[in-house]
Amino acid sequence: MMQFIRSNVGKALVFLIIPAFILWMVLEIGMEVMGGAGARAGALGSVNGSAITVQAYNDAYNAMMQQAQQQGTEITPETERAIREQAWDQLVAEILLRQELSRRRIRVTDQEILWAARNLPQPDLAQQEIFLTNGQFDLQKYRAFLGSARATPEIFAQLEQYYRESLPRQKLINQLSAGRFLSDAELWRAFQDRSETVTVDYVALPLEKLAPTAPTVTQAEIRRYYDEHRDDFDRPQGARLKVAYLPLTITEADRAGTIRQAQELRQELAGGADFAEVARRESDDTGSAQQGGDLGTFGRGQMVPSFDSAAFALPVNEISQPVVSQFGVHLIQVQERTGEQVKARHILLSFEKDPQEVDRLEKQLEAVAANAERLGLRRASQGVQGITFRDSVELTSETAFLPGVGPAQEALNWAQQAQVDIAAGDGSNVSEVLESPQALYLVQLDEYYGAGKMTLAQATPRIRDRLIRDKRIEAAMGAANKILGQVRGGQSLEQVAQANGLAVQRTGPFSRVMGNPVFGQANAAIGVAFGTPVGQVGPVARTEAGLFLIRPYERTEADRAQFDAQKAAQRQQSAQAMQQELFMQWLRNARENAEIKDNREKLLNQSAAA
C-alpha cells in the first residue's frame, strides 16, 4: 500500500547517482550473463552474438522467485511464467547495457570509485540505523565506519564491485539526458497532475441500449485492421472474457461509517491502547501494518496532500483526528520532526461498502451466474438492475485489469484453471462471484491463450468485436448527445438518468495521473472530470470503457505555496524520473534493433522428448 499512499513521485532518492532500476546488482548476476559466443553449446540464447547461459538464467529466476516468496506473493503457474519472462528480459537488458558501455568506451577509474565510496553510500547502507542521526543519514558516521576495523576486506570488495557496476551506468544515463532541463512551468504542471483530485457523479451510457442494432463488419475490414495493427497481436498469455459486474460504489453513508470507525479507534488509542498493536490489527495498509504502522521518514510533498498537511501540522506524539484521502481514512502519529522531515506512523481504514449491501449484491450475482449456465452471461445479465455487461474483454498477464472492475488477476487465474477443467470435461465456462475493491463480478470464458503472435484467423474474433464496438460507439454518440441535450435543456442529471432507465453513481477522488477504476487512465473521461466546472455536466466522454456523462462533485486545487516550498526536491525527483524514462527508451530501442535468439522453448522441448 505504501506505493499508493506516497505520491507518484515516490520516495525521494538520497543520491542521484544511484538509479532505481539497478535491480541487476541486487541479484548479483554480473558477468556470468555472457558466456561467450552465441553458438556456445547449451546456451539458452544470445544477444548480438553474446550467449545467455543456463546458469545465469537459473540464477536470475531463482533470485526473483525467492524475492516473490519473501514478499508473500502467491506462486501460481501464471506467476512462475511471468517470473521466467522477467528473468529472461533482465538478462537481455544486462547484455545490451554492457555492449553499449563498451561501444561508448565508458569506464571508471579507481579514483572515481574511492570518491563515490566515501561520498555516495550504497542505498541499503544509507538506511542502516548505525548511520542515522535524528532519522537522517549522517555522512560523518558513515566515513567513520569506513575507517574502522568493522569495515572488513569483504565489505570493501562488495562496495568496489557495486561502484564498478553502477558508476558506468550512471555515466550512460548522464550522456542520454545531457541538455535536458525541466522548467518551473513543467514542474508545476506535474505537481498539479499529482496533487489535484476530483470526485464526480456519472452516468454510464450502455452501448447496446443506445445502438441496439449490431453493425456489420466485412472480412476486408478485418484484414485491413490486422495489417495496420500487426504489433497489437504480439500478445502475452491471457484470456478473452465476457464480464458482468455490480459496482461497489462508496456512498456518503459508507464514508461516514468509516470515519466513525476511525474515531472509535482514536478513542481506543487515547485510552492507552498500543498504537503498533492497533495498526497491526486494523490497518488496511498491509505494508506498514506489519511494522506497527511505521512509514519511516519522509519530506514535504512525498505524501498525498491531505496526509502531508496533517503530518506537518500535527504536534509530536499526538494522535490526529481522522484524515481523509483518496485511499480512505488515516489516523496519524508523528514521532519525530526535524526541519522539513517527519518520522510518522499511521492506521489506514479503507472506504468499504456496507457488508449487508455487499451480501445483497452477491446474492443477486449468484442468481445471474446460475442462469448464465443455461443462457450465457449476456442474456442472464439483461434486465438486472445495476449490472453492467461487457463483451470480448481482453485480460492479459501484463495488464490484469478490467474496466469498471479494477485489478482482476483473480479472473485470469480462474480462466486458466477453467480451461483445464473444461478440457477434462469437468468445468464451467462461467465463474463464481469474484470480487475486487471496486466491484463484484462474473466472467464467462471465451478463450484462454498462450503467448505469441496471433495469425489473422486467431485475431479475427477480436478484430470483429473491436470494429463492431467502434462502429457501435459511433452510432451511440448521436443518442448520447440527445440525452446530454436533455440536461442542457434544464433537466437534472438525476432526472435524465431516471427517464432513460439509468443510474447516477459517484466515484473518486482521483488525480489526473492515478486513473480511475470506472473510466481508466489518461482518457477523455479524465479530461472531462477536470475540465468541467463543479456542478455542471460536461460533454459525452468516449473511452475504452464506454460512454459517460460526467458531473464533477468536488475538486481540490494544488497548493502553490506547498509547491514552492518543495520545488527543489521536486526538480531532483523529476530529473531522476526523466533520466530513468530516457534510459528505458534507450533500452526499448536497443532491444528492437538487436539480434536476439531465444532457444528456451527448443531446449525445453528437447528435454521433454528425452
Side-chain angles (χ1 to χ4, degrees):
M1 186 65 189
M2 277 296 297
Q3 63 267 36
F4 297 110
I5 292 177
R6 296 189 187 275
S7 68
N8 286 351
V9 173
K11 290 185 178 180
L13 301 181
V14 180
F15 301 102
L16 271 173
I17 201 165
I18 310 298
F21 59 80
I22 305 182
L23 177 61
W24 306 301
M25 296 303 96
V26 179
L27 298 178
E28 297 180 353
I29 294 169
M31 290 301 292
E32 292 185 7
V33 174
M34 294 186 284
R40 175 176 171 177
L44 279 182
S46 63
V47 181
N48 296 326
S50 296
I52 295 179
T53 67
V54 174
Q55 182 64 50
Y57 178 75
N58 287 337
D59 287 348
Y61 170 77
N62 291 332
M64 289 181 178
M65 183 64 74
Q66 183 180 10
Q67 185 182 43
Q69 291 170 339
Q70 291 172 346
Q71 293 174 347
T73 302
E74 181 182 1
I75 305 300
T76 65
E78 187 64 36
T79 305
E80 289 186 27
R81 280 190 289 271
I83 291 176
R84 290 191 183 281
E85 289 305 310
Q86 186 179 356
W88 172 262
D89 290 343
Q90 176 181 286
L91 295 177
V92 170
E94 176 69 10
I95 292 177
L96 289 171
L97 180 58
R98 291 185 181 279
Q99 291 173 344
E100 183 68 9
L101 293 175
S102 177
R103 186 184 72 83
R104 293 177 180 242
R105 299 182 180 180
I106 294 177
R107 303 285 188 274
V108 292
T109 65
D110 291 344
Q111 289 73 20
E112 288 175 315
I113 292 173
L114 288 171
W115 184 90
R118 282 182 52 81
N119 295 280
L120 304 171
Q122 195 269 353
D124 288 340
L125 286 179
Q127 299 299 318
Q128 296 298 313
E129 186 69 31
I130 61 171
F131 301 136
L132 302 182
T133 299
N134 296 325
Q136 299 298 303
F137 175 74
D138 189 324
L139 183 61
Q140 298 307 314
K141 285 185 178 180
Y142 172 70
R143 287 178 173 174
F145 168 81
L146 293 180
S148 71
R150 291 178 295 172
T152 64
E154 290 77 15
I155 291 177
F156 282 119
Q158 291 174 2
L159 286 176
E160 179 181 0
Q161 177 65 18
Y162 172 78
Y163 290 113
R164 287 199 184 280
E165 297 288 351
S166 63
L167 291 178
R169 288 166 169 77
Q170 184 59 40
K171 287 187 175 183
L172 173 60
I173 292 173
N174 291 342
Q175 290 184 14
L176 294 173
S177 59
R180 303 296 183 99
F181 176 77
L182 294 169
S183 67
D184 285 358
E186 290 173 311
L187 290 173
W188 169 241
R189 179 61 183 174
F191 180 80
Q192 288 178 298
D193 289 345
R194 293 190 305 272
S195 60
E196 292 184 344
T197 64
V198 64
T199 299
V200 302
D201 296 323
Y202 70 94
V203 176
L205 304 175
L207 299 182
E208 290 80 2
K209 184 172 183 177
L210 272 61
T213 302
T216 59
V217 174
T218 68
Q219 190 61 36
E221 289 176 309
I222 293 173
R223 162 62 77 176
R224 184 165 57 251
Y225 187 94
Y226 180 79
D227 290 340
E228 293 174 354
H229 300 83
R230 284 183 180 272
D231 289 346
D232 295 347
F233 301 107
D234 188 5
R235 63 185 181 181
Q237 288 181 318
R240 186 164 56 92
L241 307 166
K242 293 180 173 63
V243 182
Y245 67 88
L246 289 167
L248 297 177
T249 305
I250 302 298
T251 65
E252 290 304 315
D254 295 326
R255 293 175 184 273
T258 305
I259 293 173
R260 284 196 300 273
Q261 183 184 355
Q263 290 169 335
E264 292 170 1
L265 288 181
R266 187 176 186 273
Q267 291 176 355
E268 181 181 348
L269 294 169
D274 182 73
F275 192 103
E277 288 301 320
V278 175
R280 279 188 278 268
R281 186 189 78 215
E282 300 287 348
S283 182
D284 292 324
D285 177 1
T286 55
S288 71
Q290 298 174 359
Q291 310 301 322
D294 184 24
L295 297 174
T297 301
F298 53 90
R300 286 189 185 273
Q302 289 183 245
M303 299 296 187
V304 293
S306 59
F307 192 106
D308 189 84
S309 298
F312 281 90
L314 189 67
V316 173
N317 293 326
E318 184 175 312
I319 308 297
S320 72
Q321 293 292 334
V323 176
V324 178
S325 78
Q326 58 261 50
F327 305 106
V329 183
H330 310 259
L331 294 176
I332 307 169
Q333 184 184 46
V334 173
Q335 297 168 290
E336 297 177 12
R337 183 183 293 110
T338 306
E340 296 294 295
Q341 298 287 319
V342 159
K343 185 178 188 300
R345 54 185 178 177
H346 83 141
I347 297 169
L348 171 68
L349 301 180
S350 300
F351 292 123
E352 294 181 352
K353 195 76 178 164
D354 179 83
Q356 293 182 346
E357 177 63 8
V358 174
D359 288 343
R360 185 188 71 79
L361 295 175
E362 185 173 9
K363 288 182 173 61
Q364 189 177 359
L365 273 185
E366 287 173 348
V368 172
N371 291 332
E373 293 286 350
R374 298 180 295 105
L375 305 174
L377 192 55
R378 177 193 291 273
R379 290 182 59 191
S381 301
Q382 289 176 347
V384 179
Q385 183 179 8
I387 203 165
T388 298
F389 174 82
R390 299 194 191 283
D391 201 355
S392 297
V393 176
E394 295 284 342
L395 188 64
T396 73
S397 56
E398 289 184 353
T399 56
F401 184 93
L402 292 173
V405 171
Q409 184 64 47
E410 185 180 17
L412 192 58
N413 293 341
W414 171 85
Q416 182 184 18
Q417 186 60 48
Q419 180 198 33
V420 175
D421 294 341
I422 292 171
D426 184 27
S428 169
N429 70 340
V430 178
S431 74
E432 68 275 14
V433 177
L434 305 176
E435 183 174 359
S436 76
Q438 288 82 39
L440 297 176
Y441 64 107
L442 300 167
V443 295
Q444 179 178 341
L445 179 63
D446 289 338
E447 179 189 8
Y448 190 89
Y449 49 81
K453 179 76 73 175
M454 283 189 284
T455 65
L456 175 61
Q458 292 171 330
T460 290
R462 290 162 179 73
I463 297 174
R464 179 179 287 111
D465 291 337
R466 175 66 189 228
L467 294 178
I468 288 174
R469 181 174 177 79
D470 288 348
K471 290 185 176 184
R472 190 164 236 157
I473 286 179
E474 289 295 338
M477 281 296 293
N481 281 314
K482 287 183 180 179
I483 294 176
L484 176 61
Q486 296 171 6
V487 177
R488 298 282 192 262
Q491 298 183 55
S492 69
L493 187 62
E494 286 75 12
Q495 290 170 333
V496 170
Q498 185 176 11
N500 289 276
L502 305 173
V504 178
Q505 302 179 74
R506 181 168 293 174
T507 183
F510 55 92
S511 70
R512 291 183 181 89
V513 295
M514 73 182 292
N516 178 271
V518 176
F519 308 132
Q521 187 172 23
N523 56 36
I526 306 300
V528 171
F530 280 93
T532 304
V534 171
Q536 297 184 24
V537 178
V540 177
R542 174 176 175 171
T543 75
E544 287 294 317
L547 302 178
F548 299 93
L549 293 180
I550 296 173
R551 180 182 64 195
Y553 169 76
E554 185 178 53
R555 185 179 292 120
T556 62
E557 303 295 335
D559 186 333
R560 185 76 197 202
Q562 184 184 48
F563 167 76
D564 290 336
Q566 62 185 41
K567 186 165 59 176
Q570 291 287 329
R571 187 181 300 282
Q572 177 177 320
Q573 294 163 12
S574 296
Q576 290 173 330
M578 178 186 67
Q579 288 181 331
Q580 291 184 39
E581 175 55 33
L582 288 171
F583 175 84
M584 296 309 297
Q585 182 61 54
W586 166 82
L587 186 58
R588 288 191 291 269
N589 293 339
R591 183 160 185 152
E592 289 177 4
N593 296 322
E595 181 184 357
I596 300 174
K597 295 181 180 179
D598 184 353
N599 300 324
R600 287 177 295 164
E601 185 173 353
K602 178 181 177 181
L603 292 178
L604 287 173
N605 289 338
Q606 291 175 348
S607 176

